[in-house]
Amino acid sequence: ILAGVKVTSGGDITLTAVSVLGAISLEQSGSLVVDGNSTVPGISIKESGDLTIGTFASSGEVLVEKSGDVDVNGSVASILSKESGGIRLTDARVFPGGVTMALSSGALEICGTEIGVNSDTQTDGSGGVYVLEGGDVLAVADESCSPSEIEGAVIVKKGTGDVRFAGAALNSDLIVSEQVGHVEVDGSGCDPLDPPCATVSDVLVQKSTGDITLRSVTTDSDTTIKDNDGNVTVDSSTLGSDVRIQFNGWVELTNNSFSLEDVLISGNDGPVLIDRNCEMRLSITENDDVTITNNNAEDAAAAGAVCTSGFGFTDADVTKNTGGVLIESNTGEGLF
């Protein structure tokens, strides 16, 4: 048992199977490893090396400034990293807080991790993810990485790198702004016996440069994708409130249910394809070519969309588009 640890202008430090009653502070020092069954109330690292928190270790708040990478395999209350390296969370838990990363030179990689969630006690905190001027933000489940869950909002701004969530449970808002990179949310790898992996409230992607893809996503609030240089694909999703897709490249909406909400598509530079969707209130204006095909309840339901009204669209306004318009094999109530 240690009362506390404070190191200035020191070397590397490893703590194994110890309990620290006071805070751990490093300044202008080497790396820190907290391993074994170690427990610490908090960690502060400034102008130092890397930080590693092992599988069975736990810490309170983690503050990292002008230092190296952060690797967490255990449990922490929250992480704040400023002007430092990347953050890797592997089979970790960040609870009740979240992850804040600003002015980072590295990526945020999330693998098999709970953020703002404690599945053992079935409780939720307030933790989300906030990345300002960072690199890639990745939570991608695959053979080597189990799915992750994030309770709070995910906000990514002014960074350089892709934002990808595949097989990850998002339980709040997703906001991406002024990002140089692609944005992808993909829930198609979920276990069909579990709830949808990508259950999001608001979705806002704006002023970014890459392509935007939403696949097998469920929303309960507005979706806005606007002022982006890339193309937009929304596939096999159930969008529970208004959808606005404005001032992007080309747009493809396939195999979706729009829950009888407004779908506004306007000012996009490329063609617009709307195929095998249902329950839309469409307004398509000032785009290039427009293709509206096979939007009826039977085709959409066969593609996986949840359709109850029997209509592809209740009404559709198609006006002021500069290219050709093809409307074929749809079921609707009103067309202008």
Side-chain angles (χ1 to χ4, degrees):
I1 299 176
L2 298 174
V5 177
K6 183 175 182 180
V7 179
T8 302
S9 302
D12 297 338
I13 297 175
T14 298
L15 302 177
T16 302
V18 297
S19 295
V20 182
L21 302 180
I24 296 178
S25 174
L26 270 69
E27 188 168 347
Q28 296 178 347
S29 297
S31 63
L32 172 64
V33 177
V34 181
D35 210 350
N37 292 311
S38 297
T39 59
V40 299
I43 298 172
S44 175
I45 297 179
K46 185 176 181 180
E47 298 179 12
S48 297
D50 299 336
L51 168 64
T52 301
I53 299 178
T55 302
F56 299 107
S58 63
S59 172
E61 294 182 352
V62 173
L63 307 176
V64 180
E65 185 175 357
K66 296 181 179 179
S67 297
D69 295 337
V70 176
D71 278 278
V72 179
N73 300 94
S75 299
V76 299
S78 63
I79 300 173
L80 170 59
S81 175
K82 182 179 179 182
E83 297 182 74
S84 298
I87 298 177
R88 289 180 292 273
L89 307 174
T90 306
D91 299 324
R93 176 179 291 151
V94 183
F95 180 84
V99 178
T100 300
M101 187 176 179
L103 309 174
S104 171
S105 61
L108 172 59
E109 301 176 56
I110 304 168
C111 175
T113 292
E114 297 177 339
I115 299 176
V117 180
N118 189 330
S119 60
D120 293 340
T121 60
Q122 299 296 310
T123 55
D124 297 332
S126 58
V129 171
Y130 178 70
V131 180
L132 173 65
E133 296 188 33
D136 292 333
V137 178
L138 308 173
V140 180
D142 54 26
E143 293 179 356
S144 62
C145 180
S146 57
S148 298
E149 183 174 1
I150 302 172
E151 176 63 25
V154 176
I155 303 173
V156 184
K157 293 184 176 181
K158 297 183 179 180
T160 302
D162 294 340
V163 179
R164 294 187 61 211
F165 293 90
L170 306 179
N171 299 326
S172 188
D173 298 342
L174 172 65
I175 300 171
V176 181
S177 180
E178 300 179 68
Q179 187 78 5
V180 180
H182 303 300
V183 178
E184 177 185 10
V185 182
D186 188 346
S188 60
C190 292
D191 184 338
L193 298 179
D194 287 338
C197 283
T199 303
V200 191
S201 188
D202 284 339
V203 175
L204 171 61
V205 184
Q206 63 179 356
K207 298 180 181 178
S208 297
T209 64
D211 295 338
I212 298 101
T213 301
L214 305 180
R215 180 170 288 109
S216 298
V217 173
T218 301
T219 69
D220 61 13
S221 192
D222 293 346
T223 298
T224 303
I225 303 173
K226 65 178 183 179
D227 299 317
N228 301 289
D229 293 338
N231 305 312
V232 179
T233 301
V234 183
D235 177 64
S236 302
S237 296
T238 300
L239 305 180
S241 191
D242 293 345
V243 176
R244 293 177 177 269
I245 302 175
Q246 300 174 283
F247 311 114
N248 308 284
W250 52 253
V251 177
E252 289 190 2
L253 308 181
T254 54
N255 308 322
N256 304 292
S257 171
F258 291 92
S259 309
L260 298 176
E261 299 288 347
D262 291 334
V263 182
L264 171 63
I265 303 173
S266 65
N268 299 284
D269 291 334
V272 174
L273 170 65
I274 301 177
D275 183 63
R276 289 168 294 163
N277 304 280
C278 66
E279 301 189 341
M280 299 177 288
R281 297 176 59 190
L282 278 174
S283 176
I284 304 175
T285 182
E286 297 182 354
N287 305 282
D288 196 354
D289 294 336
V290 176
T291 301
I292 305 174
T293 53
N294 306 308
N295 296 286
N296 59 70
E298 292 182 0
D299 283 349
V306 179
C307 309
T308 59
S309 70
F311 290 102
F313 55 81
T314 55
D315 52 85
D317 293 346
V318 185
T319 60
K320 298 183 180 179
N321 298 283
T322 59
V325 176
L326 172 64
I327 302 175
E328 183 176 62
S329 299
N330 302 282
T331 303
E333 289 186 302
L335 173 65
F336 172 65

